[in-house]
Amino acid sequence: MAAATNSILLKLKPKIKIKICNPLFGYPRSNSSASPSIPHLFSTTTLPYADADSDCSSEIKATADANPNFIHPSADVHPNAIIGHGVSVGPFCTIGSSVKLGNGCRLYPGSHVFGNTEIGDHCLLMPGAVVGDHLPGRTVLGCNNVIGHHAVIGVKCQDLKYKPGDECFLHIGDNNEIREHTSIHRSSKSSDKTVIGDNNLIMGSCHIAHDCNIGNNNIFANNTLLAGHVVVEVSQDVPKYTMVVGERAELRGLNLEGLRRNGFTATEEEDKELGKITAVCTMIQSLRDSFAQNRRGICKFRYFSGS
């Protein structure tokens, strides 16, 4: 619907009115007790309109100094929402009354932020993304996070033990890429919270349930599903450039893709002086480190019996 609307606007009128809210205080308050009209809420400027699938950052940045915030007239932004500098809100977006958006956030068409939700600086919500819910508790996202198309983040858990009215929480760190159709739920009780760390790649259609605790620098492949109360960690160290599998992580071979990305080529696999190759040196050092300072060594390798 949004894409079709955008294409019509582009054909009929290359430039449309985009209405800008006060960057420091959100929407200006009207003196009237009645619902304020559009002129009371916005100052108006004329800017080039870009469709939802294009990168309009160059046009937005060109006028950011004079008009830091860009709110599409079809967006529904509550006057009590707190909005930072340089925020771009596209068509048909919704921002609730208790929402806080950091500087430089961009909401693509049809994305929504509800409830007591705080989003840090320079986060990106792709079309159809939903963050937060009208529940007691809070959803917090750090900076530089990308929320993919139709991802649903910070909504009520699917635990039947959850009692309506209880506070529930979700904390997400910085620099995470959460891809399309992923769902991440809040905690099931007020004494716990769902936690996602920093620098994680969570691929499409993953599910992270209530009260899970995810650390930093993890990659979740497509359709990975975590039930409630899961902590992602292993009992012993995983050497550099190796892969593990299983509920008790066990070594299952080399991470050849990781080696390739770090400069280890197929030709070097036949080199008799492998100890001089950077990737191999790093792997050996990680093995040595695993046995230093009273650490518990590396994950075990077990052969399958074939039965």
Side-chain angles (χ1 to χ4, degrees):
M1 182 67 181
T5 304
N6 291 339
S7 62
I8 292 171
L9 288 171
L10 284 169
K11 290 178 182 177
L12 295 180
K13 200 171 185 182
K15 293 187 177 182
I16 66 169
K17 296 287 186 180
I18 295 181
K19 306 199 173 177
I20 315 301
C21 78
N22 187 309
L24 295 177
F25 306 105
Y27 292 114
R29 301 292 184 89
S30 170
N31 293 327
S32 171
S33 59
S35 299
S37 61
I38 289 295
H40 290 141
L41 294 180
F42 298 92
S43 60
T44 304
T45 187
T46 302
L47 296 169
Y49 185 89
D51 69 74
D53 297 322
S54 68
D55 183 359
C56 57
S57 60
S58 59
E59 293 175 340
I60 289 178
K61 288 178 181 177
T63 53
D65 292 337
N67 299 293
N69 285 9
F70 296 81
I71 311 294
H72 193 275
S74 67
D76 182 6
V77 182
H78 196 278
N80 291 336
I82 298 175
I83 300 176
H85 288 275
V87 172
S88 173
V89 180
F92 311 113
C93 293
T94 306
I95 300 177
S97 61
S98 301
V99 170
K100 296 180 181 180
L101 290 182
N103 299 324
C105 289
R106 294 176 63 188
L107 276 65
Y108 275 79
S111 56
H112 310 280
V113 188
F114 298 119
N116 185 8
T117 299
E118 181 176 344
I119 298 180
D121 295 342
H122 305 293
C123 288
L124 175 64
L125 273 63
M126 299 304 292
V130 177
V131 179
D133 202 348
H134 296 294
L135 298 170
R138 195 179 187 196
T139 297
V140 178
L141 276 67
C143 301
N144 302 307
N145 292 297
V146 177
I147 310 300
H149 298 74
H150 303 284
V152 179
I153 310 299
V155 297
K156 186 177 77 171
C157 68
Q158 297 174 152
D159 187 353
L160 295 178
K161 296 188 295 297
Y162 171 76
K163 297 178 181 179
D166 283 356
E167 291 188 323
C168 47
F169 302 93
L170 168 65
H171 285 194
I172 297 178
D174 302 329
N175 305 308
N176 296 287
E177 184 172 1
I178 301 170
R179 294 300 299 267
E180 57 275 8
H181 299 286
T182 289
S183 58
I184 303 176
H185 291 172
R186 289 204 220 173
S187 63
S188 61
K189 51 188 177 181
S190 58
S191 59
D192 210 339
K193 59 186 175 184
T194 306
V195 178
I196 311 291
D198 304 329
N199 304 302
N200 295 292
L201 171 58
I202 302 174
M203 297 185 188
S205 301
C206 290
H207 174 65
I208 299 176
H210 56 91
D211 308 299
C212 285
N213 194 322
I214 311 302
N216 305 324
N217 305 301
N218 297 290
I219 298 176
F220 289 77
N222 299 81
N223 300 302
T224 298
L225 308 176
L226 297 187
H229 303 279
V230 172
V231 178
V232 177
E233 62 180 6
V234 295
S235 58
Q236 293 174 297
D237 291 342
V238 179
K240 290 277 189 179
Y241 311 120
T242 61
M243 296 186 296
V244 295
V245 68
E247 187 274 328
R248 284 289 181 179
E250 299 174 359
L251 288 174
R252 281 291 180 268
L254 291 174
N255 180 358
L256 297 178
E257 180 62 21
L259 287 167
R260 183 191 64 79
R261 291 176 179 175
N262 286 273
F264 187 76
T265 65
T267 303
E268 289 171 329
E269 292 179 19
E270 303 173 0
D271 196 316
K272 295 181 179 179
E273 297 184 355
L274 291 177
K276 297 181 179 179
I277 298 172
T278 302
V280 175
C281 293
T282 304
M283 180 189 296
I284 293 173
Q285 186 59 50
S286 74
L287 292 169
R288 290 172 176 164
D289 291 343
S290 294
F291 294 99
Q293 298 178 352
N294 297 319
R295 290 166 68 169
R296 290 182 290 178
I298 63 173
C299 294
K300 304 300 185 291
F301 177 82
R302 294 182 176 88
Y303 290 97
F304 285 111
S305 63
S307 60

